[in-house]
Structure formats: C-alpha cells, structure tokens
Amino acid sequence: MEPDSPSESAVTTCYRHPRVESHVRCTRCDRYICPDCMREAAVGHQCVECVREGARSVREARTVFGGRITTGPLVTYALIALNVLAYLAEVVRPEILDRFSMLGAGLTGPDGGHYVWQDTYPAGFAPEGVVNGEWDRLLTGAFLHLPPTQGTFGILHIVMNMVTLWNVGRVVESQLGRSRYLALYGLSALGGSVLVLLLAPTTSTVGASGALFGVSAAYYVLARRLGADPGSVNRFMAGLLLWLVLSAAITSWQGHLGGLLTGAAVALAFAYAPRGDRRTLVQVGACVALLAVLVLLAVGMASALKNGTA
C-alpha cells in the first residue's frame, strides 16, 4: 500500500456566517470574519461586535466643566425664539402682560383696573400676583418685554436683550453644555424675580434682563476659571456693573441684581466642582440647594404679604 498523502488544511469559516469561507481574523478577538463582517481598524480589521464594544468603552467628549460638547447653540436659539414669540403674543393681546408679568402683590378692582396691594381691601377687590398663588409669574415675566410704545426703551428693550443673549449666551452654552446652560438661565431668571418679590413686591416687571445678568456673570466666572485675559474679562464685568448702576433709575435693578448674584453662584458651582465621578453630583446638588433657597424665600414673602407682616 502507498503511504497516505498529507491531509489538506482545514477550511476556516466566518464565526457569524459558518457557510462563508474566511481567512482573516479580527485583530481584537482573533475570530475569523468574512468581508461582510469586516470593519476597518487602526491595524487590520475588527468584527462588528468588537467595534460595537469598543464604541461603548470610549469616553464621551466633555467640556471643561463637565457638559456634553455641542455642535451648535440650540438652547440659545430656542430661548431667543421663545422671547420673540412671547413678544409677538403680547403685542397682539396686551392683556398677557397684566396676567404674566412678574408681580408680587396687587389688587384688581371691580372696574377691571389694577391697584396697589394692601392686605385688607374693600369688597369687590381681589388679589393678584404671586400673593394670589400665581407662581408662574416668577418665570413668565422673564420672557415678556415692554410693548413698542411703552417705557423708556420700547421695542429696544427686547432688541438689546436678544442681542446680548446672542453674543454672550452662545459662548456660555458652548462652555457649559446645554443642560447646565439651561439650568443657569432658568435659575438666574428665577433669582431675579425672587429679589423683585422681596424688595419691590408691588412693582410689575418684565424682561429677560435678570437671566441675562446671570448669564453674563457666568461668562465672567467661567472666563476667569479658564485663564482668559484678566484685563478683558474685568472690563466686561466692570461694564456690566456700571450698567446695573446706571439703569437703576429706569429698570428693575432688583431683577438685575438678583439674576447676577444667582448666575454667579451657579457658575461658581459649575466651575469649581471637583473633577471626577462626583462632579455632576456636586453641580446638581448645588443647583437643587439654590432652587430650594429661592423657593423658600418666595413662599415666605408671599405668606408675609398675605398676612400683612411684610
């Protein structure tokens, strides 16, 4: 008998397609893969499962302050759109200003007029404002502006605010990420309204200025944290404080100051939270604590106004 001939090499097949012959291995798991399962890698090819697993293990890009990196200032665009839509609505229906402006306490008379608040009032009068449980005014007032024919600025009121939001808001949103930026804007708006409630409860106010002072304060804090040129950012802050003082006679300085202080507090929490897994927890905790303080102040003041002890 003749000696047996050498056996032929075993045929290798793709681990996902057993009927397809394959001679290429995944550089990560070393399994055989066919052309349909091959994915280009830095070296050689990988199978679809290893590529998927690798994508899960890659850290998502984050900003310096922990937010997700965004491709565009969508929140800033949305805020501008909301302000413009609210402005158009109040031009068409002026009564929107009476119902949704920031007002701590006032009275509506039997004639439909609006009167200064007093805790004891004649029959036929009814309370209006936060003291009447209209808590939404603490935020809705920050999206309304002076009508074209009223006030010192008229239509310039919304124009100047939206230009500021466009210029400063885009920068802050890119630094913080969308969720943190939205929290900053909302808390700053609320902080401005709460200080109006505390210091000028009978004054009706409107405007995004409180929120914008908060965003501008955050711009200063974040720029200093990032090591920006101190001269330029200090001049920016000096101009902001100068406007706060000069505009006190014709605008709600209480709203401006409240927004500035709140925005600065939020920005400090975002900028100086310890890096690592606990950073987001610290930042969220700071925002929740600040929100709780603002809510307690608002509730306490509304109760004092209602009871005549304010």
Side-chain angles (χ1 to χ4, degrees):
M1 295 180 61
E2 295 182 358
D4 294 337
S5 60
S7 60
E8 297 183 356
S9 302
V11 176
T12 55
T13 60
C14 174
Y15 83 99
R16 296 179 71 229
H17 304 99
R19 296 184 179 181
V20 179
E21 185 176 349
S22 176
H23 303 284
V24 177
R25 293 176 183 266
C26 171
T27 56
R28 188 167 181 175
C29 68
D30 207 36
R31 292 179 294 190
Y32 285 100
I33 49 178
C34 68
D36 288 340
C37 299
M38 293 180 188
R39 299 295 183 268
E40 290 284 347
V43 177
H45 297 81
Q46 292 184 5
C47 66
V48 291
E49 291 182 7
C50 287
V51 169
R52 192 180 302 118
E53 181 64 28
R56 283 198 294 264
S57 64
V58 174
R59 276 184 170 270
E60 185 180 19
R62 294 275 176 174
T63 69
V64 175
F65 306 108
R68 293 181 179 177
I69 293 178
T70 59
T71 56
L74 294 184
V75 175
T76 298
Y77 294 153
L79 290 172
I80 291 174
L82 285 174
N83 278 275
V84 172
L85 288 174
Y87 189 74
L88 294 176
E90 71 185 55
V91 169
V92 175
R93 299 186 61 182
E95 62 270 20
I96 289 177
L97 278 173
D98 294 331
R99 171 56 185 86
F100 294 104
S101 64
M102 173 51 209
L103 176 65
L107 294 172
T108 55
D111 58 352
H114 301 277
Y115 297 86
V116 176
W117 166 258
Q118 55 186 44
D119 57 286
T120 56
Y121 44 85
F125 286 78
E128 64 173 342
V130 175
V131 72
N132 191 41
E134 297 167 2
W135 300 103
D136 54 297
R137 289 178 180 263
L138 292 169
L139 285 178
T140 56
F143 290 92
L144 301 174
H145 289 81
L146 293 174
T149 58
Q150 290 186 18
T152 305
F153 300 106
I155 196 172
L156 287 178
H157 188 211
I158 186 172
V159 171
M160 291 188 297
N161 279 346
M162 294 305 99
V163 169
T164 302
L165 179 55
W166 170 254
N167 288 326
V168 182
R170 288 182 301 162
V171 177
V172 176
E173 182 176 353
S174 68
Q175 293 172 340
L176 290 180
R178 290 169 185 161
S179 59
R180 287 167 174 79
Y181 173 64
L182 187 59
L184 166 72
Y185 192 95
L187 286 171
S188 297
L190 180 61
S193 294
V194 169
L195 198 61
V196 170
L197 175 62
L198 294 175
L199 301 182
T202 61
T203 302
S204 177
T205 63
V206 292
S209 302
L212 294 179
F213 266 83
V215 172
S216 298
Y219 171 83
Y220 173 78
V221 171
L222 300 179
R224 293 300 302 266
R225 184 73 172 104
L226 291 171
D229 174 39
S232 61
V233 294
N234 287 341
R235 286 192 295 271
F236 172 84
M237 194 62 182
L240 187 67
L241 294 176
L242 181 61
W243 173 242
L244 175 64
V245 174
L246 293 179
S247 63
I250 53 178
T251 61
S252 172
W253 65 267
Q254 299 92 345
H256 294 178
L257 181 60
L260 186 146
L261 294 176
T262 305
V266 174
L268 287 169
F270 287 163
Y272 293 95
R275 293 179 178 271
D277 297 336
R278 295 175 55 194
R279 176 166 59 181
T280 300
L281 182 62
V282 171
Q283 292 172 337
V284 171
C287 289
V288 171
L290 183 57
L291 175 62
V293 170
L294 293 174
V295 169
L296 287 174
L297 289 173
V299 171
M301 186 61 183
S303 177
L305 287 167
K306 189 177 296 185
N307 297 328
T309 58

